Amino acid sequence: MNIDGMPAIVTGAASGLGEGTARALAAKGAKVTLLDMNGDRLEQVAAEIGGLPILCDVTDATDAEVAVAKAHETHGACAIAVNCAGIAPAAKIVGRDGPMDLDAFRRVIEVNLIGTFNMLRLTAADMATREPNEDGERGVVVNTASIAAFEGQIGQAAYAASKGGVVGLTLPAAREFARTGVRVNAIAPGLFGTPMLLGMSQEVQDSLTSTLPFPQRFGKPEEYAALVVHMVENTVMNGECVRLDSALRMQPR
């Protein structure tokens, strides 16, 4: 798909991978709608790239429906959707204080998996209303998984389960939407320089980067965004989850 002029929706767009993706798509000429819960930062990023900022809780059906409708009204039917909204709290299943709080587990699943599914169902339905291009293509969805889906560490049970669900969602969604010309892919990032990691002490950051085979540094949001751009532009890439991890294979802890 040629990105220039295409309506795009990016969740988690006020920082990290989502911000990097929103900027990259805007630089390629997309009409970007940015969704996030961080209102001040969302407005700033949107103003800088000429995008449409919308406060949205991706776990809420009505919130998401209203956001997609506003994006459609402003830019037209969605052609590109990238789901980057997510959380990554750490907790053992059974810790020193006993079993993990069930609501804490539920919250991670709600944001990372159900939130992704919520936006997938709504944007794919919107994409189905578009006129197809010469390949019969109407839209592209890129979801964010994690290498924790494959090598979840101790303390990552909720996060790994949520991201494993995103991986598992990819192929059946791609198969279902093939009839409407909507592609679905996922990216499984390793260690990226997002606010969560960059907020850690330098000692912890150095310890983390030392585990990376090459390059021994955090990935950059623009490097994640470059893969998103490729997935959008490469029409035969469909139903795939691609690791983006500097050859990292995480150890148990």
Side-chain angles (χ1 to χ4, degrees):
M1 174 179 288
N2 183 354
I3 295 173
D4 188 30
M6 292 293 111
I9 296 175
V10 180
T11 72
S15 65
L17 304 181
E19 179 184 346
T21 299
R23 291 183 182 278
L25 291 174
K28 296 282 286 186
K31 297 179 288 187
V32 183
T33 297
L34 300 86
L35 308 186
D36 207 290
M37 294 289 288
N38 184 344
D40 291 342
R41 180 62 183 162
L42 181 65
E43 294 279 352
Q44 180 183 340
V45 176
E48 290 174 1
I49 68 172
L52 172 68
I54 301 177
L55 280 174
C56 178
D57 178 355
V58 296
T59 70
D60 185 272
T62 301
D63 241 25
E65 288 164 7
V66 169
V68 172
K70 285 181 179 177
H72 184 130
E73 182 180 352
T74 303
H75 293 152
C78 182
I80 302 163
V82 187
N83 290 305
C84 295
I87 57 174
K92 291 183 178 180
I93 300 170
V94 181
R96 293 178 181 176
D97 299 325
M100 180 181 181
D101 182 73
L102 187 58
D103 283 340
F105 183 89
R106 183 180 287 115
R107 178 60 179 164
V108 178
I109 300 298
E110 187 80 19
V111 174
N112 295 354
L113 179 54
I114 296 177
T116 294
F117 177 81
N118 190 23
M119 294 306 302
L120 170 67
R121 72 185 181 95
L122 295 173
T123 55
D126 200 36
M127 290 171 182
T129 67
R130 294 183 57 81
E131 286 297 317
N133 65 15
E134 61 273 14
D135 282 320
E137 183 179 33
R138 288 185 168 88
V140 186
V141 180
V142 179
N143 294 326
T144 305
S146 167
I147 61 171
F150 311 106
E151 299 125 26
Q153 296 181 300
I154 293 171
Q156 286 189 320
Y159 184 69
S162 70
K163 294 302 187 177
V166 173
V167 174
L169 183 61
T170 305
L171 185 57
R175 286 172 163 172
E176 177 181 339
F177 300 150
R179 62 186 177 84
T180 54
V182 172
R183 295 186 288 118
V184 182
N185 289 296
I187 299 173
L191 300 178
F192 270 71
T194 62
M196 179 182 68
L197 284 184
L198 296 178
M200 297 177 177
S201 69
Q202 192 59 52
E203 181 181 2
V204 171
Q205 291 186 44
D206 292 343
S207 175
L208 289 171
T209 55
S210 70
T211 66
L212 295 165
F214 184 83
Q216 285 200 326
R217 61 165 175 79
F218 293 145
K220 301 174 183 178
E222 53 264 36
E223 291 169 325
Y224 172 94
L227 183 52
V228 171
V229 167
H230 178 76
M231 285 181 164
V232 173
E233 293 180 334
N234 189 336
T235 306
V236 297
M237 182 169 279
N238 193 17
E240 189 63 62
C241 180
V242 178
R243 294 180 67 124
L244 193 63
D245 60 13
S246 305
L248 174 64
R249 298 298 181 269
M250 294 197 297
Q251 298 304 304
R253 63 176 77 236

